[in-house]
Amino acid sequence: MAKPVTTVVPAQTDEAEAQAKAMERLQQMAAADVDALAEALRLARALHDRGLLTLAAALLEQADDVLRIVVDFVNQPGAVRGLKNLATAAQALGAVDLEAFGRLAQGAVASVDEAKADRKALETPLGFFKLLAYLADPDVSAAIRLLLAACKGVGRALRAEAEGAPVAGAGSSANRTAAGGAASDAGTGGESAAAGA
Amino acid sequence: MEMDVQPKWEASAQDATRVRLYVDGNPVEAPAGARLLDVLLKDQPDFPHICYHPALGPIETCDTCLVQVGDELLRACSTPVQAGMMVRTQAPAARLARKQAMDRLLVNHELYCTVCDNNNGNCVIHNTAMAMGLNEQAEPFTPKPYAVDDSHPFYRYDPDQCILCGRCVEACQNLQVSEVLSIDWERDRPRVIWDDDVPINESSCVSCGHCVTVCPCNALQEKSMLGEAGYLTGVEKTTLRGLIDLTKQVEPGYRPIFAVSEVEAKLREARIRRTKTVCTYCGVGCSFDIWTKDRKILKVEPQMEAPANQISTCVKGKFGWDFVNSPERLTKPLIRRGDAFYEASWEEAIEYIGQRLTDIRRQHGDDSIAFISSSKCTNEENYLMQKLARAVMHTNNIDNCSRYCQAPATEALRRTMGLGGDTGSISDLALADLVIVVGANTAESHPVLATRLRRAQKKHGQKLIVADLRKNDLASRANLHLHPKPGTDLVWLNAVAKLLLDSGRYDEAFVRERVEGFDEYAQSLAPYTLEYAERVTGLSAQELQQTADMIANAKRLSICWAMGVTQHRGGTETSTAICNLLLLTGQVGRPGTGAYPLRGHNNVQGAGDFGCAPAFLPGYERVDDAQVRAKWEAAWGVTLPTNKGLDNHEMVDAMHDGRLRAMYLVGEDMAVVDSNANYVEAAFEKLDFFVVQDAFFSKTAQFADVILPACPSLEKEGTFTNTERRIQRLYQALPPLGDAKPDWQIIQMVANRLGANWNYTSPREIFEEACSTTELMKGATYERLEGYRSLQWPVAEDGRDMPLLYTEQFALPGGRARFCPVTWQEPVAYEETYDLHLNNGRMLEHFHEGNLTYRVRGLREKVPMTFVEVSPELAAERRIEDGALVRLVSPYGSVKVRAVVTDRVAGRELYMPMNSPKDEEAVNRLTSSESDVITHTPAYKEVRVRLEVLGDKGASPLGRNNPRRHQPHPKPGVEVEKKWARADYRPLVGKLRADEAEREAAAWQNL
């Protein structure tokens, strides 16, 4: 007669036996990865010596609070501007053709060296007519053209900003007209404008 | 593939006329009328499109798939291809328009992908923006003036992230057809609303999850994903907001944001596992990916390639899996000693079982021990269970719980057509012109299958007849709802057959060429006159004639039935009457036709297919056939028993009379799911030894001597066979919890202790041994079932399967079907004092007795307890209010439950769900031991009770958070025309004026 029973008695867990089993497993794992473990211990010791482990543990324990403080701080206008500048500078640097820039820099260095070598000329003031004569020099003329082109670009950007035209950027307060966006969908390259007309 | 609207590309490619068109100057061939977008996607898989989903078809809200055709901009999703069509995807006007369309979407959606829980490589908006090379948006994101709707236990809606694509609305209105969601286009800022704009959890939403599955972004998201999927998404809300603002201010464009989020999405793959599994909550056989992080279930992600369900799910399949991590799971073997169970080691438990079963067998003989397998377990486990019974313990005392539901339908199909399975597929049901549903609450018991019927009716004019006592969901939508007196289906079915026969409206050629026994059948119908049928069934002559007319006018008829037919004394006979009617009208063996007994559990079909029935070895090979036995004896190297085995029903009687002394039961809470529970429990008490194997400490387990902890489906591999005879593989998503083990391993341990000497190392080995020995599934292998591939038996040795049966011949001698004349069994008679009929069955939110689903918090919130449905008439007569406590008393027991007053039931008919969190409230305390006279399936549906009002008024068992409390809001769909009619809508499609084209080309070149 097996009447329904609902009482369950958990097994007496033998602590010592469980611990011995765990240790045995640990030993097996350690033996299998002895080199990696030794390296990991070295790293841990170095981190411990510098107090970095304690710091990391504290950071993790307080992760939410720490992240909030960091985000609040970084979200201040000054910090945002700094990060933005950094991103823009990185982008500008990324746009520079290093090879071409290298050639320009080498040319400049060579000319500077040349000028430095002519010690006498360095001591003589550069007169107005001499300056005009330099403009006739094809090398100087080309360099000035480059600088003026850069100035033009800066000026255009300045004026655009003064007139309230949009500044590209994700989620910014951009208000460009619908036709003003740029995209190259599907990444396959479009037909030419002439073909599309 | 949009399963019933647009034929599959590959299929249509063979049939339809093919035309040549030109895409960007290149010739392309496609079937005439195919969707242009589908054609483009074949060569340009990244071609932009957001609102279009292959399961939903064109919605036309997003405009991101615009192309130029001639001098016109068109939506590729809604443009059929034509011969000679000149399509330019890269024309400047088209590209510009697509960019503008995307800009408009992004006004409604804030891109913060790296800290978004939907950034998992499959976010449609993210991927489309990336593919378009989007670096900035022309108009800024502007939040909408609505709060996040967080009310629902399983998902939330964030209006600020909603792009108003309408996928969710289309899925709700026209795929699931629950008709809850719509977009209110009249508002200044439109949004998705539930019903007439109520909180989600107080709407008619049935929580099927379609809307969440199709959402192309994070507007609708599973709550289980929130704060869990991403590495950075779990931080506090205010900090997260700060991070989003910072990222947006600092980043000079979207490309770097996308790059970082792509990296983060890749990192997520290292810790989120996606495993294909097959649902265990009914016989439809939905398959999907389940996402897990360690043991946490993040979400269910349905896939288009899932053969039975594509992207469809119900509330249980989509959201009902947290029971696997319930602290109430059994994790150690338990052995009864005195008045308590004691935890034990596996070795100890198996040794004890071995000793006791060996002793009992020695003392009382082979047939003193019985085995009950589970329709929730895999085919492999069922195969092992019957092999253990027959090959190791030498008894045919093996059965499974399909005895409780579907044995009559299987027997009816076998005797009339030859094979005990649905004659076609779910796709055939969608194709039919007329579907008749008899005694089945399909919308709650087979929810995804019901979506196909509702969609076919709403979108394609399919006609629906529902014969049921209750005005259930499908009945309320039916073109004709028949409400016969309980237990009289056979009479009206035969009366309708007689009407068709007498008026010559039957398929004479089909009957002559393909069916035996017509004359005898025709004679057997003689008594079923209209007058007789009206008197017995309570249906009117007009209703019967209308039914006959609808059948006669249908080119393709399918009939579905379930427990309302089978769980009667005449269950097999009524099932046979259905088969006879189909044969008479020639409605078998063609697409869109056939017989569909709807299998209730995930593997009801498979448990029978793999031999868990006393009379059948795997593949329905008869135990009493000497040749068959010889084949299996050779395969297993044993001598097989020849004694007739006991079925479940007979086992209970045998326990009472002492013939049965021990039982090994797997995965079944028989104490509360078998009929006349008090009688069954008393039988258990008489057993000498009882082993119960389960994932939970069930009511049945309380009677056991040893309880073995088993794994649910997510913790094991194997195969299930659904109601369409479709075999599908499930893969292991989680490791076993604690010391629990997959059932196949446990059965093997028990068998080996009893001398089996088996050495299966994987379910694959078991499956292939089983299938290769059967004739029915000879060609089924794990390779042929890899991933989402499936096979519908019979499976030939070369792997060919048969989604539609009997196209050429029936599986009976001579290849001909057989009419089987039937006899009506009058329902069980009760004393007059039992004055109310008690109907019973399943609910959408719970599975079977609720053992699993009550352990899912959200499901329990939706339906916390069982109850009895009382008609408004009876409630008025007896002064029963919603929530009143009542006692129901039958000759077999009594229960106390609360009442729900509803017009789903009528007159003096009650309804009680079979799920209950309390064993003492189970409906089977009231049911009898009467059963189907042929298969012994309990007559659960033939119960009468008396009702006592106890006077304690409580809250209604169905709260405001239950969808049954609310009315759906049907719409034709997204109603995009309302969007286009808005004053602020500027069309992007249409003819390009010459100057416009030039201007836009120039604008494009300037960019």
Side-chain angles (χ1 to χ4, degrees):
Chain A
M1 286 293 167
K3 290 285 176 196
V5 164
T6 54
T7 312
V8 175
V9 182
Q12 296 292 324
T13 47
D14 188 335
E15 281 297 319
E17 192 187 332
Q19 213 167 11
K21 270 191 181 166
M23 285 308 293
E24 192 186 334
R25 193 154 163 258
L26 204 61
Q27 265 182 346
Q28 284 167 352
M29 286 166 68
D33 279 313
V34 66
D35 292 342
L37 265 180
E39 293 235 14
L41 282 173
R42 213 175 115 214
L43 177 65
R45 177 182 295 277
L47 289 171
H48 174 72
D49 289 348
R50 299 272 171 184
L52 289 175
L53 276 184
T54 320
L55 179 64
L59 268 175
L60 288 173
E61 281 161 18
Q62 306 296 328
D64 282 345
D65 290 342
V66 172
L67 187 62
R68 192 180 62 245
I69 293 163
V70 170
V71 170
D72 284 353
F73 173 74
V74 179
N75 249 340
Q76 303 301 315
V80 168
R81 205 175 303 126
L83 285 170
K84 217 164 166 175
N85 288 347
L86 212 63
T88 309
Q91 207 175 34
L93 279 175
V96 171
D97 177 351
L98 268 186
E99 219 174 294
F101 185 75
R103 283 198 298 276
L104 291 180
Q106 275 171 7
V109 170
S111 296
V112 169
D113 285 349
E114 237 172 71
K116 274 160 77 179
D118 190 356
R119 291 199 158 272
K120 196 176 161 194
L122 285 177
E123 287 160 13
T124 316
L126 185 65
F128 177 68
F129 290 104
K130 190 76 176 169
L131 196 62
L132 281 182
Y134 265 118
L135 281 179
D137 184 311
D139 293 340
V140 173
S141 175
I144 287 177
R145 269 176 200 278
L146 184 74
L147 289 173
L148 287 176
C151 289
K152 191 175 172 182
V154 172
R156 191 191 293 152
L158 278 172
R159 282 199 318 115
E161 196 165 309
E163 287 165 16
V167 181
S172 67
S173 58
N175 195 21
R176 203 178 273 190
T177 58
S184 58
D185 73 26
T188 51
E191 293 172 7
S192 71
Chain B
M1 181 190 70
E2 187 193 356
M3 52 246 125
D4 49 354
V5 180
Q6 177 78 359
K8 213 176 182 177
W9 165 267
E10 287 78 7
S12 58
Q14 292 160 8
D15 316 332
T17 318
R18 295 180 71 79
V19 295
R20 174 172 289 188
L21 63 154
Y22 296 86
V23 176
D24 299 326
N26 301 314
V28 174
E29 292 221 338
R35 213 168 265 144
L36 177 56
L37 181 58
D38 289 340
V39 176
L40 297 178
L41 288 171
K42 275 183 84 76
D43 291 326
Q44 301 179 45
D46 289 337
F47 187 76
H49 62 287
I50 289 180
C51 68
Y52 172 78
H53 186 292
L56 305 173
I59 298 174
E60 302 187 280
T61 52
C62 80
D63 288 346
T64 56
C65 69
L66 296 183
V67 291
Q68 188 172 329
V69 179
D71 60 349
E72 200 173 0
L73 287 180
L74 296 172
R75 297 182 185 95
C77 65
S78 57
T79 303
V81 298
Q82 292 170 15
M85 188 180 243
M86 305 290 281
V87 182
R88 290 159 59 199
T89 65
Q90 300 302 323
R95 300 175 71 197
L96 194 59
R98 292 199 293 264
K99 168 67 172 63
Q100 286 177 307
M102 193 69 188
D103 281 335
R104 292 179 186 181
L105 295 182
L106 292 179
V107 170
N108 284 314
H109 181 86
E110 193 172 22
L111 286 171
Y112 50 74
C113 308
T114 309
V115 289
C116 171
D117 281 304
N118 201 44
N119 183 41
N120 303 298
N122 61 350
C123 175
V124 181
I125 293 199
H126 173 98
N127 293 350
T128 308
M130 283 264 294
M132 288 175 76
L134 192 84
N135 193 43
E136 61 197 12
Q137 63 189 78
E139 293 175 50
F141 160 74
T142 46
K144 302 182 189 75
Y146 314 116
V148 170
D149 189 332
D150 210 19
S151 61
H152 194 277
F154 294 125
Y155 70 95
R156 70 100 181 88
Y157 174 58
D158 183 351
D160 275 350
Q161 293 301 96
C162 174
I163 60 167
L164 303 166
C165 68
R167 275 186 176 194
C168 55
V169 174
E170 183 63 23
C172 184
Q173 291 285 344
N174 290 325
L175 180 56
Q176 159 71 16
V177 201
S178 278
E179 303 177 313
V180 183
L181 275 65
S182 60
I183 294 180
D184 184 355
W185 294 110
E186 311 299 324
R187 299 172 186 228
D188 181 38
R189 296 296 301 275
R191 61 162 287 173
V192 175
I193 57 170
W194 277 252
D195 290 344
D196 50 358
D197 194 15
V198 295
I200 300 173
N201 208 31
E202 294 177 20
S203 72
S204 58
C205 167
V206 296
S207 317
C208 63
H210 278 80
C211 58
V212 185
T213 296
V214 297
C215 180
C217 59
N218 65 334
L220 283 160
Q221 193 141 37
E222 301 86 352
K223 282 190 169 176
S224 48
M225 286 283 282
L226 298 178
E228 290 287 344
Y231 285 90
L232 293 170
T233 55
V235 296
E236 286 171 359
K237 269 189 183 167
T238 47
T239 312
L240 192 66
R241 187 65 251 170
L243 267 174
I244 294 166
D245 291 340
L246 178 66
T247 314
K248 287 166 59 182
Q249 288 189 68
V250 169
E251 290 287 4
Y254 282 140
R255 285 187 190 125
I257 294 182
F258 286 149
V260 173
S261 60
E262 286 287 290
V263 170
E264 202 262 350
K266 277 281 157 209
L267 290 175
R268 292 185 189 191
E269 288 177 19
R271 66 173 188 175
I272 297 177
R273 288 187 62 204
R274 303 178 187 192
T275 311
K276 184 235 171 177
T277 192
V278 181
C279 187
T280 53
Y281 282 129
C282 78
V284 172
C286 296
S287 54
F288 35 69
D289 285 359
I290 192 151
W291 291 21
T292 51
K293 188 177 84 175
D294 302 323
R295 279 201 72 87
K296 189 172 175 60
I297 291 161
L298 293 188
K299 72 160 161 175
V300 158
E301 178 88 346
Q303 304 291 318
M304 277 303 286
E305 61 260 50
N309 61 305
Q310 281 91 31
I311 59 160
S312 292
T313 48
C314 74
V315 57
K316 301 186 291 297
K318 177 74 180 173
F319 298 114
W321 297 97
D322 282 344
F323 71 86
V324 297
N325 290 322
S326 164
E328 294 171 358
R329 278 277 305 274
L330 290 170
T331 57
K332 287 202 179 291
L334 301 173
I335 296 177
R336 175 194 287 256
R337 285 192 200 105
D339 292 337
F341 285 103
Y342 290 80
E343 286 187 351
S345 69
W346 274 105
E347 295 75 17
E348 205 180 339
I350 298 293
E351 178 57 30
Y352 182 47
I353 293 169
Q355 275 178 18
R356 295 288 288 125
L357 290 182
T358 305
D359 288 348
I360 290 168
R361 187 181 174 193
R362 196 176 295 134
Q363 202 176 339
H364 300 285
D366 296 340
D367 291 334
S368 64
I369 303 173
F371 297 80
I372 293 185
S373 194
S374 174
S375 59
K376 274 77 74 185
C377 284
T378 63
N379 288 326
E380 293 76 0
E381 289 158 348
N382 277 290
Y383 173 79
L384 285 194
M385 197 65 180
Q386 61 86 36
K387 188 176 174 181
L388 165 62
R390 293 184 166 117
V392 183
M393 301 300 280
H394 208 253
T395 178
N396 282 315
N397 289 345
I398 169 79
D399 206 1
N400 78 95
C401 82
S402 64
R403 181 72 47 200
Y404 299 143
C405 51
Q406 284 287 9
T410 303
E411 178 56 27
L413 285 165
R414 207 185 287 125
R415 51 155 74 160
T416 53
M417 303 185 197
L419 293 170
D422 288 13
T423 65
S425 306
I426 295 169
S427 55
D428 286 300
L429 288 171
L431 267 181
D433 303 309
L434 170 66
V435 172
I436 304 179
V437 179
V438 190
N441 183 4
T442 317
E444 303 210 41
S445 304
H446 305 87
V448 167
L449 191 143
T451 68
R452 302 322 191 228
L453 302 183
R454 287 195 297 254
R455 178 176 170 87
Q457 189 193 33
K458 183 172 182 181
K459 298 280 280 186
H460 310 300
Q462 182 179 79
K463 297 283 187 293
L464 181 63
I465 299 176
V466 173
D468 204 283
L469 305 189
R470 287 173 84 223
K471 196 165 78 181
N472 59 36
D473 175 81
L474 282 191
S476 66
R477 294 165 183 271
N479 303 81
L480 178 62
H481 174 201
L482 303 173
H483 180 168
K485 288 181 191 167
T488 63
D489 287 318
L490 184 143
V491 176
W492 73 258
L493 283 160
N494 270 4
V496 167
K498 181 171 162 54
L499 277 175
L500 292 166
L501 185 70
D502 291 350
S503 57
R505 292 180 298 171
Y506 70 99
D507 193 336
E508 195 270 332
F510 182 90
V511 168
R512 181 171 13 94
E513 287 160 21
R514 302 197 59 185
V515 196
E516 298 283 349
F518 174 71
D519 292 341
E520 199 189 340
Y521 172 61
Q523 279 170 18
S524 76
L525 294 179
Y528 295 92
T529 61
L530 271 183
E531 298 69 33
Y532 173 72
E534 275 186 297
R535 193 173 68 247
V536 174
T537 66
L539 297 172
S540 68
Q542 192 261 331
E543 285 173 311
L544 294 166
Q545 266 156 349
Q546 191 184 346
T547 306
D549 291 345
M550 287 174 75
I551 291 174
N553 291 333
K555 284 199 179 115
R556 291 167 297 198
L557 161 69
S558 293
I559 305 185
C560 306
W561 73 99
M563 311 302 104
V565 168
T566 59
Q567 292 174 341
H568 285 277
R569 290 181 68 242
T572 303
E573 294 287 78
T574 308
S575 299
T576 306
I578 292 172
C579 297
N580 286 338
L581 179 60
L582 286 166
L583 291 174
L584 180 71
T585 50
Q587 297 286 10
V588 191
R590 285 180 289 119
T593 69
Y596 298 86
L598 304 175
R599 310 300 190 177
H601 294 176
N602 54 304
N603 208 26
V604 161
Q605 187 68 52
D609 297 347
F610 282 79
C612 287
F616 295 100
L617 281 149
Y620 299 100
E621 297 179 14
R622 293 196 68 93
V623 167
D624 55 13
D625 181 327
Q627 273 188 320
V628 164
R629 275 204 313 278
K631 180 179 81 170
W632 287 95
E633 284 173 345
W636 290 342
V638 295
T639 307
L640 288 175
T642 51
N643 292 354
K644 183 190 164 300
L646 301 172
D647 60 38
N648 290 3
H649 185 73
E650 293 166 330
M651 286 176 197
V652 177
D653 288 337
M655 289 178 221
H656 274 292
D657 65 27
R659 281 176 291 142
L660 201 62
R661 314 304 291 245
M663 179 180 272
Y664 178 13
L665 178 148
V666 173
E668 191 63 60
D669 199 358
M670 190 169 163
V672 287
V673 302
D674 198 352
S675 197
N676 199 353
N678 295 329
Y679 180 70
V680 175
E681 290 177 3
F684 288 156
E685 290 183 8
K686 294 181 178 171
L687 285 170
D688 291 345
F689 189 64
F690 190 19
V691 181
V692 172
Q693 189 166 303
D694 207 309
F696 288 101
F697 194 102
S698 62
K699 180 68 187 173
T700 309
Q702 293 178 16
F703 294 88
D705 294 281
V706 182
I707 304 172
L708 300 174
C711 290
S713 62
L714 294 184
E715 296 176 1
K716 61 190 178 189
E717 276 192 63
T719 57
F720 292 143
T721 305
N722 81 345
T723 192
E724 307 165 290
R725 300 167 279 108
R726 188 188 296 282
I727 312 168
Q728 304 186 91
R729 274 180 75 176
L730 55 147
Y731 294 79
Q732 186 180 346
L734 297 170
L737 187 68
D739 287 348
K741 287 182 188 293
D743 294 270
W744 68 270
Q745 290 181 12
I746 305 173
I747 298 166
Q748 174 163 262
M749 287 163 73
V750 172
N752 282 344
R753 173 60 186 77
L754 293 166
N757 198 24
W758 295 345
N759 192 25
Y760 301 110
T761 57
S762 71
R764 174 193 298 260
E765 290 171 28
I766 304 165
F767 183 78
E768 290 177 2
E769 173 188 304
C771 291
S772 64
T773 318
T774 66
E775 306 306 314
L776 189 68
M777 298 169 284
K778 220 172 209 18
T781 63
Y782 265 35
E783 278 71 28
R784 289 179 175 143
L785 296 167
E786 190 73 40
Y788 280 89
R789 295 170 70 193
S790 68
L791 292 166
Q792 286 172 273
W793 64 249
V795 186
E797 199 157 7
D798 62 4
R800 278 177 301 121
D801 67 345
M802 206 173 282
L804 180 62
L805 298 177
Y806 315 130
T807 52
E808 303 291 328
Q809 55 181 359
F810 288 91
L812 286 172
R816 289 165 71 81
R818 198 161 51 207
F819 282 117
C820 292
V822 290
T823 311
W824 179 51
Q825 299 286 335
E826 279 202 49
V828 181
Y830 284 77
E831 287 173 24
E832 270 180 25
T833 159
Y834 303 106
D835 58 339
L836 304 172
H837 179 265
L838 179 67
N839 191 2
N840 53 78
R842 280 214 208 146
M843 287 190 84
L844 172 68
E845 292 84 350
H846 287 290
F847 175 66
H848 215 198
E849 77 280 12
N851 208 5
L852 309 179
T853 43
Y854 277 110
R855 291 181 165 96
V856 178
R857 189 181 55 83
L859 294 175
R860 195 176 179 124
E861 280 173 23
K862 286 282 178 190
V863 180
M865 63 184 90
T866 193
F867 50 86
V868 60
E869 288 185 350
V870 177
S871 72
E873 308 91 272
L874 187 67
E877 181 190 316
R878 307 270 175 103
R879 296 187 183 170
I880 303 168
E881 287 180 59
D882 219 37
L885 192 66
V886 299
R887 180 185 288 122
L888 303 178
V889 185
S890 85
Y892 309 98
S894 69
V895 298
K896 274 197 293 186
V897 287
R898 294 201 179 274
V900 169
V901 179
T902 169
D903 64 2
R904 284 187 291 275
V905 287
R908 304 176 91 73
E909 291 170 359
L910 308 170
Y911 180 84
M912 213 180 134
M914 67 179 299
N915 47 273
S916 164
K918 294 178 186 165
D919 299 328
E920 64 272 21
E921 291 176 352
V923 70
N924 286 321
R925 303 275 167 214
L926 303 171
T927 50
S928 74
S929 291
E930 295 284 344
S931 65
D932 174 41
V933 293
I934 294 169
T935 64
H936 294 162
T937 290
Y940 293 95
K941 301 294 193 279
E942 296 186 6
V943 189
R944 294 186 73 80
V945 294
R946 66 168 186 267
L947 182 148
E948 298 165 4
V949 184
L950 299 178
D952 171 22
K953 169 83 175 72
S956 172
L958 296 180
R960 283 199 60 75
N961 65 345
N962 190 284
R964 295 165 187 79
R965 288 271 172 215
H966 310 282
Q967 285 302 313
H969 284 63
K971 305 266 181 191
V974 177
E975 301 179 296
V976 65
E977 302 77 15
K978 289 186 179 171
K979 172 183 176 173
W980 297 337
R982 283 173 64 92
D984 59 359
Y985 177 72
R986 289 163 290 141
L988 291 170
V989 294
K991 289 237 183 252
L992 292 164
R993 292 198 314 270
D995 61 324
E996 205 173 38
E998 268 175 42
R999 191 160 43 82
E1000 293 194 354
W1004 183 257
Q1005 198 174 39
N1006 281 341
L1007 291 175

